[in-house]
Amino acid sequence: MHPDNGSSPYDAIGEMKREAINAFVRSANGADGVLDFDQVVRDPANPTNLLPAYDSGDHLHPNDVGYQAMADSIDLGLLDD
């Protein structure tokens, strides 16, 4: 789950849940891989926020540049059998 600090649904409890879900997914056994869009679109200086260049303005949804960055982060070689 990507960061959403500044959006209307954001709160500390939701952030704790987001971090727990991401930690679980990143460490989950039995998965062939993980596409970690959180790491792609978060602001390294403030990881509870979207990177400003990727923020659509509502602090919740990435803009077109953010979605492109997410797409570009996918190694298509992982999809080969």
Side-chain angles (χ1 to χ4, degrees):
M1 298 176 63
H2 64 75
D4 63 350
N5 189 5
S7 68
S8 61
Y10 180 85
D11 63 18
I13 293 171
E15 178 60 22
M16 287 182 0
K17 290 177 183 178
R18 182 188 79 81
E19 290 177 15
I21 290 168
N22 284 344
F24 172 77
V25 169
R26 289 178 182 131
S27 67
N29 294 325
D32 291 336
V34 173
L35 300 174
D36 196 340
F37 294 142
D38 172 57
Q39 289 187 356
V40 173
V41 299
R42 72 179 176 207
D43 183 346
N46 193 352
T48 63
N49 292 2
L50 287 169
L51 192 66
Y54 296 159
D55 191 342
S56 68
D58 67 359
H59 311 296
L60 179 61
H61 299 96
N63 59 20
D64 290 344
V65 176
Y67 282 117
Q68 187 64 57
M70 292 164 67
D72 291 343
S73 74
I74 300 170
D75 177 359
L76 296 180
L78 297 174
L79 303 177
D80 289 339
D81 261 343

